[in-house]
C-alpha cells in the first residue's frame, strides 16, 4: 500500500504581503521604485505593506521615504544606527516583516516588479519559495560575469546546500520559511545560503536583469570578494579539509624523496646540494604553511565573531506613516 501525497495547503484566500527593501544612499531611487511597484501590487489579490530598511545612509534617503509616507500609508521605515551591510539590513527587514508572504527585492528596479504576480501564482500552486533566476547577465561586465560563474561553481561544488546559478536575493517566501530563517542568527551572514538552507518546496522564475534606473551600486570587487569568502567559509568545511589532503600529499612526496636520497647515497655517493633548489623548497613550504594558517585564521575569526554574541544589527528607530515614531525595543 503506497502513501497518498500530502494535500496542498489552501492558498485560495487573500494573503497579506510584505515587501522588504534594503536601502543605502538611495534618495534618487525610492520614489521611482514606488511609482512602478505600488500600482502593480494594488492589482494583485492581496494586501501589502513595505518595510524599507535604511542601512546608515548619508544622504536624504530617510527624509525622502518620510515624504513618500504621506502618499503611501503602507510604508514602514526601519532606521539602523549605522551601516551594518546589506545582509544585516535584510535580516532586520525579515525580522520586522509580517503577513503570509514576504518579498525581498532591491530598490534599483533591476528586480522586475512584474515577477511578483508570477511569484504569487507559484505560491498558490503550492511552492513555498519562488525566486528570480537571471537568464542573462548582459548588463554586467565580463569580469563580473566570469567571477560570478566561478563563485557559484565553487560554492555548489563544496557546499552541502547548493544555491541556484545566477539566483539573487529577489524572491517570495511563505511565512513558515521566513520563520525558520529568522532562527538563523549567525553574525557572518550570507543570505543566499541562509535562505536556501531551510529547504522547502521552491521554484525558479527566469528573467532578464535590466540596468539600474538611477543612482550607483555600492558594491565593488573587494566587497564582492569578502562576500564570497563569507559564503564559502560559512557553509563548507571543504577548504580546511583540502589543506589536510595537500599536507598529506606533500608529506608522502617528501617521504619518497627522502627514500630516493638514501638510496642514491648508499649506491652512488652524495653530491653537494644546490642552493637554488634548497631555497625553492623552503619558499614553497613556507608559502604553503602561511596559506594554511591564513585559512585557519579565517575560520577562527568567524568563531571569534560568533562567541562575542554581538547583535546582527541595531535599530535606531522605526518610522510609521502619519508621523508616528516608535523607539526600537
Amino acid at each position: 500500500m503506497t502513501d497518498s501525497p500530502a494535500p496542498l495547503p489552501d492558498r485560495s484566500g487573500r494573503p497579506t504581503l510584505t515587501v522588504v527593501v534594503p536601502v543605502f544612499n538611495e534618495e534618487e531611487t525610492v520614489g521611482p521604485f514606488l511609482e512602478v511597484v505600488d500600482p502593480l501590487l494594488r492589482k494583485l489579490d492581496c494586501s501589502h505593506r513595505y518595510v524599507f530598511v535604511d542601512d546608515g545612509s548619508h544622504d536624504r534617503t530617510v527624509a525622502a521615504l518620510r515624504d513618500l509616507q504621506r502618499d503611501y500609508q503602507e510604508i514602514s521605515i526601519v532606521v539602523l544606527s549605522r551601516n551594518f551591510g546589506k545582509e544585516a539590513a535584510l535580516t532586520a527587514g525579515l525580522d520586522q516583516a509580517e503577513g503570509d508572504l514576504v518579498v525581498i527585492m532591491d530598490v534599483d528596479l533591476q528586480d522586475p516588479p512584474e515577477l511578483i504576480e508570477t511569484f504569487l501564482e507559484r505560491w498558490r500552486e503550492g511552492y513555498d519559495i519562488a525566486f528570480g533566476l537571471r537568464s542573462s547577465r548582459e548588463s554586467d561586465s565580463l569580469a563580473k560575469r566570469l567571477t560570478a560563474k566561478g563563485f557559484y561553481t565553487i560554492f555548489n561544488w563544496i557546499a552541502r546546500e547548493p544555491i541556484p546559478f545566477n539566483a539573487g536575493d529577489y524572491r517570495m517566501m511563505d511565512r513558515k520559511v521566513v520563520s525558520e530563517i529568522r532562527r538563523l542568527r549567525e553574525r557572518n551572514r550570507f543570505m543566499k545560503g541562509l535562505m536556501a538552507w531551510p529547504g522547502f518546496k521552491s521554484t525558479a522564475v527566469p528573467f532578464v536583469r535590466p540596468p539600474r534606473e538611477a543612482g550607483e551600486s555600492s558594491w565593488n570587487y573587494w566587497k564582492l570578494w569578502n562576500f564570497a569568502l563569507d559564503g564559502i567559509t560559512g557553509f563548507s568545511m571543504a577548504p580546511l579539509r583540502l589543506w589536510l589532503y595537500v599536507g598529506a600529499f606533500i608529506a608522502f612526496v617528501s617521504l619518497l624523496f627522502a627514500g630516493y636520497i638514501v638510496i642514491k647515497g648508499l649506491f652512488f655517493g652524495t653530491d653537494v646540494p644546490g642552493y637554488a633548489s634548497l631555497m625553492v623548497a623552503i619558499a614553497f613550504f613556507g608559502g604553503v604553511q602561511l596559506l594554511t594558517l591564513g585559512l585557519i585564521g579565517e575560520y577562527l575569526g568567524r568563531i571569534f565573531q560568533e562567541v562575542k554574541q554581538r547583535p546582527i544589527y541595531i535599530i535606531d528607530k522605526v518610522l510609521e506613516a502619519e508621523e508616528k515614531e516608535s523607539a526600537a525595543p
Side-chain angles (χ1 to χ4, degrees), residues 148-165:
K149 183 178 180 181
F151 167 74
Y152 282 109
T153 301
I154 294 173
F155 184 92
N156 289 338
W157 180 49
I158 64 177
R160 290 185 177 182
E161 299 81 25
I163 56 178
F165 268 73

Side-chain angles (χ1 to χ4, degrees), residues 31-48:
F33 171 84
L34 286 168
E35 290 175 3
V36 173
V37 174
D38 199 67
L40 293 173
L41 293 182
R42 293 187 183 280
K43 295 178 182 179
L44 301 180
D45 186 22
C46 65
S47 58
H48 69 279

Side-chain angles (χ1 to χ4, degrees), residues 24-220:
F24 176 68
N25 293 339
E26 297 284 2
E27 63 174 311
E28 298 178 2
T29 56
V30 289
F33 171 84
L34 286 168
E35 290 175 3
V36 173
V37 174
D38 199 67
L40 293 173
L41 293 182
R42 293 187 183 280
K43 295 178 182 179
L44 301 180
D45 186 22
C46 65
S47 58
H48 69 279
R49 63 185 293 262
Y50 304 94
V51 175
F52 285 88
V53 183
D54 180 74
D55 189 24
S57 296
H58 307 305
D59 62 358
R60 296 186 66 261
T61 298
V62 175
L65 287 170
R66 289 294 273 169
D67 292 340
L68 289 166
Q69 278 183 327
R70 300 191 185 101
D71 298 320
Y72 301 94
Q73 299 294 309
E74 302 86 3
I75 292 179
S76 295
I77 309 169
V78 179
V79 183
L80 302 187
S81 61
R82 63 170 175 82
N83 179 254
F84 287 88
K86 183 181 179 181
E87 308 302 285
L90 283 176
T91 303
L94 292 178
D95 288 346
Q96 295 289 320
E98 300 173 353
D100 305 303
L101 298 170
V102 176
V103 171
I104 294 175
M105 63 188 306
D106 291 336
V107 75
D108 54 18
L109 293 176
Q110 288 188 285
D111 298 332
E114 57 270 16
L115 259 65
I116 297 177
E117 183 176 5
T118 307
F119 289 166
L120 186 59
E121 293 173 357
R122 297 293 180 269
W123 176 76
R124 294 191 188 280
E125 293 171 2
Y127 291 99
D128 300 310
I129 305 172
F131 59 89
L133 190 68
R134 301 172 193 172
S135 56
S136 173
R137 301 186 69 118
E138 295 302 322
S139 60
D140 294 336
S141 65
L142 176 62
K144 190 172 182 180
R145 292 199 299 269
L146 292 175
T147 53
K149 183 178 180 181
F151 167 74
Y152 282 109
T153 301
I154 294 173
F155 184 92
N156 289 338
W157 180 49
I158 64 177
R160 290 185 177 182
E161 299 81 25
I163 56 178
F165 268 73
N166 295 326
D169 296 321
Y170 188 30
R171 64 193 62 211
M172 175 184 287
M173 297 179 289
D174 186 82
R175 165 55 52 188
K176 65 181 179 182
V177 181
V178 175
S179 297
E180 295 303 323
I181 295 173
R182 289 163 92 174
R183 295 172 58 196
L184 309 177
R185 308 308 291 181
E186 52 253 53
R187 272 65 187 165
N188 293 286
R189 304 185 70 75
F190 178 65
M191 291 303 294
K192 292 183 182 67
L194 292 177
M195 289 185 289
W197 185 86
F200 296 105
K201 190 177 181 181
S202 62
T203 184
V205 179
F207 72 96
V208 176
R209 187 172 175 85
R212 283 180 66 98
E213 283 290 313
E216 296 181 358
S217 173
S218 60
W219 288 95
N220 54 43

Side-chain angles (χ1 to χ4, degrees), residues 250 253-254 257 261 273-289:
I250 292 175
V253 172
S254 300
F257 186 64
I261 293 175
Y275 174 78
S277 59
L278 180 62
M279 293 305 297
V280 167
I282 292 175
F284 172 73
F285 288 109
V288 169
Q289 290 173 346

